[in-house]
Amino acid sequence: MATALLAKLLGIKLNEHDSTANDRVTRGESAYSLSTADTYVEEAPTALEWIKHVTPGPRDLGHWAYSLFPFTHWITRYNLQWLSGDLIAGITVGCVVVPQSMAYAKLALLDVQFGLYSSFMGVLIYWFFATSKDITIGPVAVMSLIVGNVVQKAKKTNPELPAHVVASALAIIAGSIISFIGLIRLGWIVDFISLAAISAFMTGSALNIAVGQFPTLMGITGFDTRASTYKVVINILKHLGRSNLDASIGLTALAMLYIIRAACNLGAKKVPSKAKMFFFLSTLRTAFVILLYTLISYLVNRHHRPTKQNRFKLTGPVPRGFKNAAVPTVTKAVIKSFAGELPASVIVLLIEHIAIAKSFGRINNYTIDPSQEMVAIGVTNLLGPFLGAYPATGSFSRTAIKSKAGVRTPFAGVITALVVLLAIYALPAVFFYIPNAALSAVIIHAVLDLITPPNTVYQFWLISPLEVFIFFAGVIVTIFTSIEIGVYVTVGTSAALLLFRLSKARGRFLGRVKIHSVVGDQFLDDERKFGRRSLDGSDSNGSYRDIFLPISHNDGSNPEVAVQSPYPGIFIYRFSEGYNYPNANHYLDYMVAGIFNETRRTNPHSYGRLGDRPWNDPGPGRGRVADDHLDRPTLKAIILDFSSVNNVDVTSVQHLIDVRNQLDRYAAPSKVYWHIACINNRWTKRALTSAGFGYPTPPGDGVILDRWKPIFSVAEIGGDASAATVAQRRDNELRRQNTHDVEEQRSKSMTAHDNITPKTASTSSSDLGKELEASNVYNKRGTRVTVVQSLDRPLFHVDLTSALQSAIANVERRQEVDL
């Protein structure tokens, strides 16, 4: 009572479209008798119901807490067989990650030990939160380059800040942001970044990194190797003559990496039985090359221990253990030094890791949780800086190695951590002699594999030519500017393309086509039985079904197939991809234009004088007779296919209301019936109902309400098409075909039984129908039918066929009344 009073005071019309609901349901003739059908009226969803649905309960919170630690799902069933696979994979990855992490630390303008710290914390922490068994978290090339740019910028603005302090603070802030996104389960946001954008970013970054490392490979100095890629190329060509002995180390190391890989790949093809052995040999090529050149460096420089007297540039002293372990320094000044690069850092950490995790999940037949993976990345970057780590994420190369090595669980990360820990404490003296040129060779060898192959770009072209332009735009921008700008451009252009496709979506007018299912030269009916008819055009038994195809054949269907207009004055319009405020106007403008081109105004003399006409329809010029298009039908009904529509909004529904009013004026004095088929969402039904759709448009003042015929789709309660009924029907059919004589006797006995109890007799004359009548699964006695859709919304239909039947029936009834 209080609610009604308040609504009256505020001028809110409660149940405006439900005030005549009972009248709408009962007037007219139903397609079935209420005495033989159960009724159904759908309750509209409420705001309270939605709140209850989205508000987590105690059970949901418990499940959320349990999902934060995925290792608890499998650790209790850990066994020796899993351990053996994890040992092999963990040790293999450990041998790769040690030299790679040191090389990437150099790329980040940090001492090599910080790469080891990042690798150790990444593999050690990740397995607690992992939903992927293959991912290896640690330093990666692209993120290391961004960290190096941040460090270089911070040195200019805050020269007193140590490089590792800035890198650790960046890891803390980025990790906090990513952890928050993961904890509130917003991992789906990474799906907005397209594969073309990721490929462009990776390709441009790989070229940037490879070109930037080439001067170190050749021993060239004297210019900024972190400038735009094209500038670095120009400077390399200018100073190429200044190469020194480092070039002999770098070029031969790079060549050896490729030669070993090629030889192992060839050996695996020639001797398939030894493929596993060749795989491990290829995997360990990085460690082998680094050890070989470390030995060479030691032999050459053992009598030239001071760094300045070395024959070529070496890594230099590496402290033993975690000498930089401390509470990270996160101050306003530190955050300000990298605030501009923070968005790009978060994007790189996310897209590289999630893309790799999803890819290997599909390869190895498991599903990752993007939100939980974000938690794993975030926690790793939150805790790693306490031991001196800088930002880390999933590595493609090490993940691929781990997967091929036969990893069984995420626990393999612990094995890798032990290998890294051994290197941190046992090998610092050896690390002193690692040539910088050899580390650059390792980086170049690793990042060149990130370049998108030409065949992949060609596949992009076949699938979506527009995205190829996005790909090349991202690569070119990265080459001529920076990785950060390249990230923003590729992500931004992908989002722009998505919005363009959404806003310019165009619907299709559909027509009806009768089709047959054919196997060989025989028809296949709805019961999956083969007919004996030939393909000569005859179809006496009517074994066909209706489908709806675009009248223009712009979906690629055979243009020689004749698509029939649904009915004169009735149009079927299908939304192609959602219906919301960005595309509502474009959808409906196209629909209205198509209707105007195919119909005529119901009352061509509705404008008594020239001045009554609207300015946008001034009529024919002076001395000309208006073309009334009397050969065209008048508009009678519109059927909207909502099969691709999940949600609507205020703007899109208002557009529908405006178009309905426009077309009602066009068809005056008649009203246009709006039938809507295949609505998949209860909230969409509620929105359309509140706008007056779902039942005939109420007549205006002085207009006599013509009787209309609601046609509903009904189904049997219990289901004639249930799995059990279908199974028994097929079983009975098979028995009838195989034992024809027995079937005849069974038919006679059933006929005799029918004479005694006529209420249970089947109305069908077929033997199969009688078998179904006598079966335990489906018995006609007590069978009832009910409507599939709600009774109080007769113009909402379960499919296009029922919508068209209803539209035609009411148009014909209206014509009968007019006569």
Side-chain angles (χ1 to χ4, degrees):
M1 186 65 179
T3 303
L5 180 60
L6 180 61
K8 186 174 182 180
L9 291 175
L10 296 176
I12 298 174
K13 299 178 181 180
L14 296 176
N15 301 323
E16 177 183 5
H17 297 288
D18 290 334
S19 58
T20 59
N22 293 333
D23 179 58
R24 285 197 300 273
V25 173
T26 57
R27 69 172 180 258
E29 291 80 14
S30 176
Y32 60 92
S33 171
L34 290 177
S35 62
T36 60
D38 289 339
T39 60
Y40 168 67
V41 176
E42 179 184 349
E43 294 289 337
T46 63
L48 181 61
E49 178 184 341
W50 179 82
I51 292 173
K52 289 181 178 179
H53 177 71
V54 300
T55 303
R59 184 182 182 90
D60 297 322
L61 292 175
H63 178 73
W64 172 79
Y66 179 62
S67 67
L68 290 178
F69 302 97
F71 79 95
T72 59
H73 305 176
W74 52 266
I75 194 65
T76 56
R77 291 181 289 276
Y78 200 79
N79 53 69
L80 290 177
Q81 188 173 352
W82 289 1
L83 178 61
S84 63
D86 290 344
L87 276 172
I88 295 173
I91 294 173
T92 303
V93 173
C95 294
V96 175
V97 74
V98 169
Q100 275 194 356
S101 62
M102 292 191 294
Y104 292 151
K106 285 286 188 180
L107 188 60
L109 300 183
L110 300 172
D111 294 331
V112 294
Q113 67 266 24
F114 293 101
L116 296 173
Y117 300 158
S118 299
S119 296
F120 174 76
M121 292 300 290
V123 294
L124 181 64
I125 296 173
Y126 175 69
W127 80 276
F128 284 100
F129 307 95
T131 61
S132 169
K133 69 179 179 66
D134 299 298
I135 285 288
T136 300
I137 287 187
V140 296
V142 180
M143 193 65 233
S144 296
L145 182 63
I146 292 177
V147 171
N149 294 339
V150 169
V151 168
Q152 189 178 48
K153 180 181 176 182
K155 282 184 178 180
K156 296 178 181 179
T157 57
N158 299 281
E160 73 283 357
L161 288 176
H164 72 274
V165 170
V166 177
S168 295
L170 177 61
I172 289 284
I173 301 301
S176 300
I177 295 172
I178 296 172
S179 294
F180 176 74
I181 296 173
L183 288 173
I184 62 176
R185 293 311 194 229
L186 291 181
W188 47 266
I189 62 174
V190 297
D191 294 334
F192 285 97
I193 303 175
S194 69
L195 178 59
I198 296 174
S199 300
F201 148 71
M202 297 298 289
T203 300
S205 300
L207 292 173
N208 187 300
I209 294 169
V211 170
Q213 287 299 304
F214 191 78
T216 306
L217 184 85
M218 301 294 293
I220 304 173
T221 57
F223 58 90
D224 183 11
T225 61
R226 291 181 174 272
S228 298
T229 306
Y230 78 99
K231 292 182 179 179
V232 178
V233 171
I234 293 173
N235 285 323
I236 288 173
L237 296 176
K238 283 183 178 180
H239 301 90
L240 193 60
R242 292 164 51 185
S243 303
N244 55 28
L245 193 59
D246 287 334
S248 62
I249 297 291
L251 291 176
T252 55
L254 183 61
M256 186 173 294
L257 287 169
Y258 280 104
I259 290 172
I260 293 174
R261 186 173 71 175
C264 290
N265 291 340
L266 181 62
K269 291 180 181 179
K270 295 292 185 179
V271 189
S273 60
K274 302 291 185 180
K276 197 73 172 178
M277 181 192 70
F278 284 114
F279 161 74
F280 283 109
L281 290 176
S282 177
T283 297
L284 297 176
R285 67 185 181 277
T286 302
F288 170 75
V289 168
I290 290 295
L291 289 175
L292 175 62
Y293 282 89
T294 301
L295 176 61
I296 294 173
S297 173
Y298 169 74
L299 295 176
V300 172
N301 296 294
R302 58 181 173 173
H303 300 301
H304 307 281
R305 179 74 182 190
T307 305
K308 294 182 179 180
Q309 298 180 9
N310 294 330
R311 299 299 177 87
F312 38 78
K313 293 180 181 178
L314 303 180
T315 299
V318 177
R320 187 185 307 275
F322 296 94
K323 299 298 184 182
N324 297 98
V327 176
T329 302
V330 183
T331 63
K332 184 177 179 180
V334 175
I335 295 175
K336 188 177 180 180
S337 67
F338 58 74
E341 286 76 17
L342 184 58
S345 301
V346 172
I347 292 174
V348 170
L349 287 173
L350 286 180
I351 62 177
E352 190 167 359
H353 180 98
I354 301 299
I356 295 169
K358 285 185 175 181
S359 176
F360 280 90
R362 287 188 289 266
I363 291 172
N364 295 313
N365 195 29
Y366 63 85
T367 303
I368 67 139
D369 181 354
S371 297
Q372 182 58 30
E373 289 297 314
M374 288 185 181
V375 173
I377 304 170
V379 174
T380 299
N381 284 286
L382 277 172
L383 299 181
F386 287 88
L387 290 184
Y390 70 92
T393 188
S395 165
F396 179 81
S397 61
R398 296 193 295 271
T399 298
I401 291 170
K402 190 176 180 182
S403 176
K404 292 180 181 179
V407 63
R408 302 302 301 272
T409 72
F411 187 75
V414 177
I415 310 300
T416 302
L418 294 176
V419 175
V420 177
L421 187 65
L422 179 65
I424 291 173
Y425 278 96
L427 300 178
V430 177
F431 296 155
F432 177 92
Y433 290 100
I434 297 178
N436 285 341
L439 292 178
S440 293
V442 169
I443 294 174
I444 294 173
H445 179 66
V447 299
L448 289 182
D449 290 335
L450 300 179
I451 296 177
T452 305
N455 185 61
T456 302
V457 179
Y458 176 66
Q459 294 301 319
F460 289 171
W461 175 262
L462 295 178
I463 296 170
S464 178
L466 280 177
E467 293 190 81
V468 175
F469 292 103
I470 293 177
F471 171 82
F472 282 112
V475 174
I476 292 171
V477 168
T478 303
I479 290 174
F480 284 92
T481 56
S482 65
I483 289 180
E484 293 84 352
I485 297 177
V487 169
Y488 298 144
V489 168
T490 53
V491 173
T493 51
S494 295
L497 178 61
L498 175 65
L499 291 176
F500 175 79
R501 286 174 169 171
L502 179 64
S503 61
K504 293 300 181 181
R506 176 174 293 183
R508 292 170 177 161
F509 287 99
L510 305 182
R512 182 167 55 178
V513 177
K514 297 184 183 298
I515 67 167
H516 308 264
S517 295
V518 178
V519 178
D521 60 349
Q522 294 183 327
F523 289 102
L524 188 66
D525 63 16
D526 292 337
E527 301 295 329
R528 300 185 62 84
K529 294 187 298 185
F530 294 102
R532 298 181 180 277
R533 298 178 298 280
S534 61
L535 298 177
D536 59 357
S538 62
D539 186 16
S540 59
N541 293 335
S543 176
Y544 62 83
R545 67 183 186 275
D546 288 337
I547 65 168
F548 298 89
L549 296 176
I551 294 176
S552 61
H553 288 289
N554 57 5
D555 64 335
S557 56
N558 191 342
E560 295 184 3
V561 174
V563 181
Q564 302 174 356
S565 175
Y567 190 88
I570 296 178
F571 294 87
I572 302 176
Y573 189 70
R574 172 178 291 166
F575 297 109
S576 58
E577 49 178 305
Y579 177 65
N580 297 100
Y581 70 90
N583 55 27
N585 190 63
H586 194 260
Y587 267 134
L588 298 184
D589 284 351
Y590 178 75
M591 184 187 76
V592 171
I595 291 174
F596 283 174
N597 288 334
E598 298 295 330
T599 61
R600 61 179 173 86
R601 188 178 294 275
T602 302
N603 182 9
H605 306 294
S606 57
Y607 302 121
R609 296 175 299 175
L610 181 62
D612 294 335
R613 302 186 72 95
W615 67 272
N616 59 334
D617 186 16
R622 294 183 182 276
R624 297 183 180 180
V625 179
D627 186 359
D628 295 328
H629 301 291
L630 297 179
D631 57 324
R632 298 180 183 177
T634 59
L635 177 61
K636 299 177 178 64
I638 295 174
I639 300 172
L640 297 180
D641 183 358
F642 263 50
S643 57
S644 64
V645 178
N646 188 42
N647 294 293
V648 293
D649 48 56
V650 173
T651 306
S652 59
V653 172
Q654 185 60 48
H655 276 294
L656 274 179
I657 295 173
D658 294 341
V659 170
R660 180 181 63 187
N661 296 336
Q662 176 187 7
L663 295 181
D664 278 345
R665 291 191 296 270
Y666 178 74
S670 299
K671 293 289 184 179
V672 179
Y673 280 171
W674 289 72
H675 299 259
I676 304 179
C678 307
I679 304 177
N680 302 315
N681 188 298
R682 293 175 63 215
W683 285 94
T684 300
K685 291 181 183 178
R686 168 176 154 156
L688 294 173
T689 300
S690 67
F693 294 94
Y695 41 81
T697 305
D701 295 336
V703 179
I704 300 176
L705 177 63
D706 58 299
R707 296 176 67 82
W708 57 280
K709 178 182 293 186
I711 295 182
F712 299 96
S713 297
V714 299
E716 295 178 358
I717 299 176
D720 183 21
S722 65
T725 303
V726 172
Q728 182 152 350
R729 180 190 295 120
R730 292 179 180 175
D731 183 64
N732 291 341
E733 174 68 11
L734 184 61
R735 290 202 309 269
R736 186 180 67 83
Q737 292 177 353
N738 293 339
T739 57
H740 182 69
D741 294 336
V742 176
E743 287 298 325
E744 288 183 353
Q745 185 63 33
R746 181 180 300 173
S747 178
K748 293 179 182 179
S749 62
M750 288 179 65
T751 303
H753 183 68
D754 292 344
N755 294 331
I756 299 174
T757 55
K759 288 185 179 180
T760 61
S762 172
T763 57
S764 174
S765 60
S766 66
D767 294 336
L768 179 58
K770 294 178 181 179
E771 290 182 4
L772 290 174
E773 179 70 23
S775 71
N776 295 326
V777 177
Y778 178 75
N779 194 309
K780 298 295 285 187
R781 178 181 301 186
T783 297
R784 296 181 61 84
V785 295
T786 185
V787 290
V788 178
Q789 300 279 46
S790 182
L791 272 176
D792 61 342
R793 300 292 176 258
L795 299 190
F796 289 163
H797 303 279
V798 69
D799 61 2
L800 288 176
T801 300
S802 60
L804 182 59
Q805 290 172 346
S806 178
I808 293 175
N810 284 284
V811 167
E812 292 178 346
R813 179 159 188 83
R814 184 188 299 176
Q815 293 172 348
E816 292 175 1
V817 172
D818 293 340
L819 293 176

